[in-house]
Amino acid sequence: MTAPAHHRFLRAVRRERVDKIPLWLMRQAGRYMAEYRALRKDHPILEMIRTPELAAEVTLQPLRAFDLDAGIIFADILTLPMEMGLDLQFVAGEGPTFTNPIRSADDVKRLRARPAAEALGYTLDAIKLTVHQLNGRVPLIGFSGAPFTLACYAIQGEGSKEFHLAKAFMYNQPKAWHTLLDLFAGMIGDYLAEQVKAGAQVVQLFDSWAGLLGPEDYREYALPHSAKVISIVKQRTGAPVIHFGTETGSLLELIKQAGGDVIGVDWRTGLDEARRRLGPDVALQGNMDPLRLLGPREGIELAARRALNAGAPHPGYIFNIGHGIHKSTPPENVAALVEIVHGHPVPEGPDA
Amino acid sequence: MTAPAHHRFLRAVRRERVDKIPLWLMRQAGRYMAEYRALRKDHPILEMIRTPELAAEVTLQPLRAFDLDAGIIFADILTLPMEMGLDLQFVAGEGPTFTNPIRSADDVKRLRARPAAEALGYTLDAIKLTVHQLNGRVPLIGFSGAPFTLACYAIQGEGSKEFHLAKAFMYNQPKAWHTLLDLFAGMIGDYLAEQVKAGAQVVQLFDSWAGLLGPEDYREYALPHSAKVISIVKQRTGAPVIHFGTETGSLLELIKQAGGDVIGVDWRTGLDEARRRLGPDVALQGNMDPLRLLGPREGIELAARRALNAGAPHPGYIFNIGHGIHKSTPPENVAALVEIVHGHPVPEGPDA
């Protein structure tokens, strides 16, 4: 059983009035929690992702520990390109790498777009199991990487500050680039739609590295493919989509244009400015600096109130941090944050 | 002998009309040039920096190869904290690290602010030698890291995507943080003023990681210290200052407030938007995506024209890339870029 439509997270997504500001935290299931580390000690990360019982358990850990308003299925954005034929390795201390990255138009041809139900059935099963175990308590969010962000990894082969190989490929081989992103877009759209069918009530498209692009390049090389993903999800399911990126201060209007019911904002852009630029017809999610959670309680409260004061006045606001929670975050700081957000007065007024 | 005051780079800095748009490129002396790699093979990087003849030679290499309108002294932003007591190591393939980073208020106390003329005399000597060898052909730019960016490295101890230890220190130990940045600011101001005395006609303050901060945090934790640096330079020399950072789309007004005759803009923010927000009374520098130089000639021209069309109409525009040139850049692409920029028609009209 999924969460009822009047759950405050779902109401905020639809820009309806809420009793309290809802919150969840990117990477809320993760290494900062002792429960996670205890499980992780015995299981490699890919095993955790591919074993529905383990993925469901990890997804539920932060929901047991904190009064968060949504779960997000435990998975990784890189499993999709992995299931298309890229060899994914998690090297301890180095982050994920693809040992056979895409470096040519021929490499693009060796990727196979597969039905998500077949390729990523383990995550769909994990969603079903988690939704069953949640029993309607809070909604579950599904997610995928966006075509641009997946292409960055697929070409670079590993995390990077500037993803120079990916951008050089983009500039030098625009045709192969668009073929690759279109291939990703189709499978991502299918994957997100299947996640909704499996019980995810909202899905988030992570375009984490969109901010590597200036506005013209985003419009040309990334936007059409993200728009395709969102259009597939909308046509097949109608489910709400959260569209997220970092360093997107110059891209917010274009990100909205690509689609999404909720636009994710990082801490570099004020939520008041984002609201002014994006207008009243989208919800916003964000935007506390995640590293504030490494600091003292007063600083957490100061930063949280800044986001709340800028975000909460307009219906359609979900509190979050601007990017994933850091692994060295003290869990008690997460508890303090939840208390601050839920204790924040919510302005009365009509739905947006 | 320094370059004459009517040199087009100096005119653009003063927002006067120019015959052609001047350009230089961040990290224009570097690994993308065979001449650099040939010299570097025989000399560790710190030796190159600390040997005025070698530093001058490397500074001149790109000026011999390309018709650039300014040189920038070959040095590294991390020599200043090194000369204050931090042990700097350049590990091959890993970038620079400090083996004894700042992790406590006591660590801050062990740093010694020294007169730049004594601590960094080798770079001042390199400037004198370079200016002599340039013989007035083009102006030479001096530079330093800004207090925030140096603190990021000094605390983290190495390069990082998010500099979480530095920001945690900032949030948890604000008093020690401000002591550290004030210490840096005094020595940076002295260093830049001495560079001007040695013959640098313009200095650039690199706050490369300023974009890690949201606007309120920048205002509180970084701005006062950068303002102190710029005020020292102005009071002691009156020389023009270029104030540069990346991912600063949300910070441009605050960066201008901290000071600078020229504001550096990266490729994420359009130069037309920067001009609109900053007004007519500063010059702008930027902002082509440096990775464009890894792509085809048509793409370089497209991106360069976008910057030129947005930047050139208002007097006070210096073409540059938005961050350092990538080491895999083909030198012939730099030559093509110089040709494009110098061939771009310059609007006529009064000085700004």
Side-chain angles (χ1 to χ4, degrees), chain A:
Chain A
M1 161 188 158
T2 56
H6 61 74
H7 187 281
R8 72 168 74 101
F9 172 71
L10 299 174
R11 288 186 61 87
V13 166
R14 296 191 303 264
R15 288 173 281 121
E16 296 166 4
R17 279 177 310 118
V18 287
D19 61 329
K20 297 175 180 181
I21 297 295
L23 85 159
W24 67 281
L25 302 175
M26 284 185 269
R27 221 182 292 151
Q28 64 191 21
R31 281 177 290 181
Y32 75 101
M33 291 186 76
E35 301 90 318
Y36 176 92
R37 294 193 302 272
L39 207 60
R40 182 74 182 71
K41 193 162 48 66
D42 299 326
H43 306 281
I45 194 156
L46 271 177
E47 183 193 331
M48 286 173 66
I49 292 169
R50 289 192 285 206
T51 309
E53 293 71 20
L54 291 174
E57 170 58 21
V58 171
T59 303
L60 294 170
Q61 284 176 344
L63 299 171
R64 286 189 206 110
F66 312 110
D67 186 19
L68 297 160
D69 296 296
I72 179 161
I73 192 64
F74 182 75
D76 192 280
I77 63 168
L78 299 183
T79 54
L80 187 143
M82 175 183 81
E83 298 297 353
M84 293 176 84
L86 292 181
D87 177 39
L88 180 63
Q89 301 285 340
F90 284 88
V91 184
E94 297 211 5
T97 59
F98 289 121
T99 58
N100 56 346
I102 303 289
R103 296 287 161 81
S104 69
D106 277 348
D107 287 340
V108 175
K109 287 186 198 136
R110 65 174 158 80
L111 288 183
R112 293 159 296 132
R114 302 162 59 198
E118 170 204 310
L120 293 145
Y122 45 85
T123 293
L124 303 176
D125 288 342
I127 289 174
K128 287 176 199 158
L129 187 59
T130 307
V131 168
H132 178 74
Q133 293 179 348
L134 276 172
N135 196 27
R137 201 187 120 209
V138 295
L140 184 67
I141 301 168
F143 74 93
S144 171
F148 174 76
T149 290
L150 293 188
C152 280
Y153 276 105
I155 296 167
Q156 194 77 25
E158 59 187 4
S160 165
K161 214 168 204 159
E162 42 185 10
F163 286 98
H164 72 282
L165 294 173
K167 285 175 75 177
F169 188 106
M170 178 178 97
Y171 290 134
N172 282 302
Q173 305 185 66
K175 213 177 137 194
W177 171 268
H178 285 297
T179 302
L180 174 65
L181 271 76
D182 186 65
L183 203 63
F184 279 145
M187 186 155 161
I188 294 166
D190 181 43
Y191 181 38
L192 290 175
E194 290 294 329
Q195 291 187 53
V196 174
K197 280 170 61 186
Q201 288 172 278
V202 175
V203 290
Q204 176 157 322
L205 190 62
F206 280 86
D207 209 355
S208 307
W209 310 130
L212 291 169
L213 299 176
E216 293 92 350
D217 282 350
Y218 177 81
R219 187 195 302 272
E220 177 167 353
Y221 296 107
L223 191 155
H225 307 291
S226 290
K228 174 175 168 175
V229 170
I230 294 169
S231 140
I232 293 173
V233 177
K234 287 290 170 189
Q235 281 174 26
R236 280 187 42 192
T237 73
V241 175
I242 307 172
H243 194 172
F244 167 79
T246 65
E247 299 172 28
T248 54
S250 305
L251 304 179
L252 286 177
E253 292 85 353
L254 294 171
I255 286 174
K256 182 186 172 193
Q257 189 183 318
D261 304 86
V262 183
I263 305 296
V265 180
D266 86 358
W267 64 96
R268 294 173 183 88
T269 309
L271 287 167
D272 41 0
E273 185 194 327
R275 176 59 72 196
R276 201 164 49 240
R277 285 167 53 189
L278 296 180
D281 62 336
V282 283
L284 298 180
Q285 175 178 283
N287 73 342
M288 193 178 86
D289 189 330
L291 296 181
R292 271 286 180 187
L293 289 169
L294 307 187
R297 160 91 196 213
E298 316 84 76
I300 296 169
E301 173 143 15
L302 177 80
R305 295 258 180 248
R306 273 185 195 141
L308 288 160
N309 287 333
H314 191 285
Y317 171 55
I318 298 146
F319 185 94
N320 208 320
I321 45 181
H323 204 177
I325 193 167
H326 195 272
K327 64 180 176 184
S328 63
T329 301
E332 59 270 28
N333 288 359
V334 174
L337 177 64
V338 173
E339 198 185 305
I340 293 162
V341 175
H342 279 165
H344 192 79
V346 178
E348 297 193 9
D351 302 341

Side-chain angles (χ1 to χ4, degrees), chain B residues 5 10 13-15 189-204 228-242 259-262:
Chain B
L10 299 174
V13 166
R14 295 191 303 265
R15 289 173 280 120
D190 180 43
Y191 180 37
L192 290 174
E194 291 293 330
Q195 291 187 55
V196 173
K197 280 169 61 184
Q201 287 172 277
V202 175
V203 291
Q204 175 155 322
K228 175 175 167 174
V229 169
I230 294 169
S231 140
I232 292 172
V233 176
K234 286 291 169 187
Q235 282 175 26
R236 279 187 44 192
T237 72
V241 175
I242 307 172
D261 303 86
V262 183

Side-chain angles (χ1 to χ4, degrees), chain B residues 32-342:
Chain B
Y32 75 102
M33 291 187 75
E35 301 91 317
Y36 176 92
R37 294 193 301 273
L39 206 61
R40 182 74 181 72
K41 193 162 49 66
D42 299 326
H43 306 282
I45 192 155
L46 271 177
E47 183 193 332
M48 286 173 65
I49 292 169
R50 288 191 287 205
T51 309
E53 292 72 20
L54 291 174
E57 169 59 20
V58 170
T59 302
L60 294 171
Q61 284 176 344
L63 299 172
R64 284 189 207 112
F66 313 109
D67 186 20
L68 297 160
D69 296 295
I72 179 161
I73 191 66
F74 183 75
D76 191 281
I77 62 168
L78 300 183
T79 55
L80 186 143
M82 175 183 82
E83 297 297 352
M84 294 175 83
L86 292 181
D87 177 40
L88 179 62
Q89 301 285 340
F90 284 87
V91 184
E94 298 212 2
T97 60
F98 289 121
T99 58
N100 56 347
I102 302 289
R103 295 288 161 82
S104 69
D106 277 348
D107 287 340
V108 175
K109 287 186 198 134
R110 65 175 157 80
L111 288 183
R112 292 159 297 133
R114 301 162 59 196
E118 169 204 309
L120 293 144
Y122 45 84
T123 293
L124 303 176
D125 288 342
I127 289 174
K128 287 176 201 159
L129 187 58
T130 307
V131 167
H132 178 73
Q133 294 180 348
L134 276 172
N135 195 26
R137 200 186 120 208
V138 295
L140 183 68
I141 302 169
F143 74 93
S144 170
F148 175 76
T149 289
L150 293 187
C152 279
Y153 277 105
I155 296 168
Q156 194 78 24
E158 60 188 3
S160 165
K161 213 167 205 160
E162 42 185 11
F163 286 98
H164 72 281
L165 294 173
K167 286 175 75 176
F169 187 106
M170 178 179 98
Y171 290 135
N172 282 302
Q173 304 185 68
K175 214 177 137 195
W177 171 269
H178 285 296
T179 303
L180 174 65
L181 270 75
D182 186 66
L183 204 63
F184 279 144
M187 187 156 161
I188 294 166
D190 180 43
Y191 180 37
L192 290 174
E194 291 293 330
Q195 291 187 55
V196 173
K197 280 169 61 184
Q201 287 172 277
V202 175
V203 291
Q204 175 155 322
L205 190 62
F206 279 86
D207 209 356
S208 308
W209 309 129
L212 291 169
L213 299 176
E216 293 93 348
D217 282 351
Y218 177 82
R219 188 196 301 272
E220 178 167 353
Y221 296 107
L223 190 154
H225 306 291
S226 290
K228 175 175 167 174
V229 169
I230 294 169
S231 140
I232 292 172
V233 176
K234 286 291 169 187
Q235 282 175 26
R236 279 187 44 192
T237 72
V241 175
I242 307 172
H243 193 172
F244 166 79
T246 65
E247 298 172 29
T248 54
S250 304
L251 304 179
L252 286 177
E253 292 85 352
L254 294 171
I255 286 174
K256 182 186 173 193
Q257 189 183 319
D261 303 86
V262 183
I263 305 297
V265 179
D266 85 1
W267 64 96
R268 296 173 182 88
T269 308
L271 287 167
D272 41 0
E273 185 194 327
R275 176 59 73 197
R276 201 163 49 238
R277 286 167 52 190
L278 296 179
D281 61 336
V282 282
L284 299 180
Q285 176 179 281
N287 73 342
M288 194 179 85
D289 189 331
L291 296 181
R292 271 286 179 187
L293 289 170
L294 307 188
R297 161 90 195 211
E298 317 83 77
I300 295 169
E301 173 142 15
L302 176 81
R305 295 260 180 246
R306 272 185 196 143
L308 288 160
N309 287 333
H314 191 285
Y317 171 55
I318 297 146
F319 185 95
N320 208 317
I321 46 180
H323 204 178
I325 194 167
H326 195 272
K327 64 179 175 184
S328 63
T329 300
E332 60 270 27
N333 288 358
V334 174
L337 178 64
V338 172
E339 197 185 304
I340 292 162
V341 175
H342 279 166

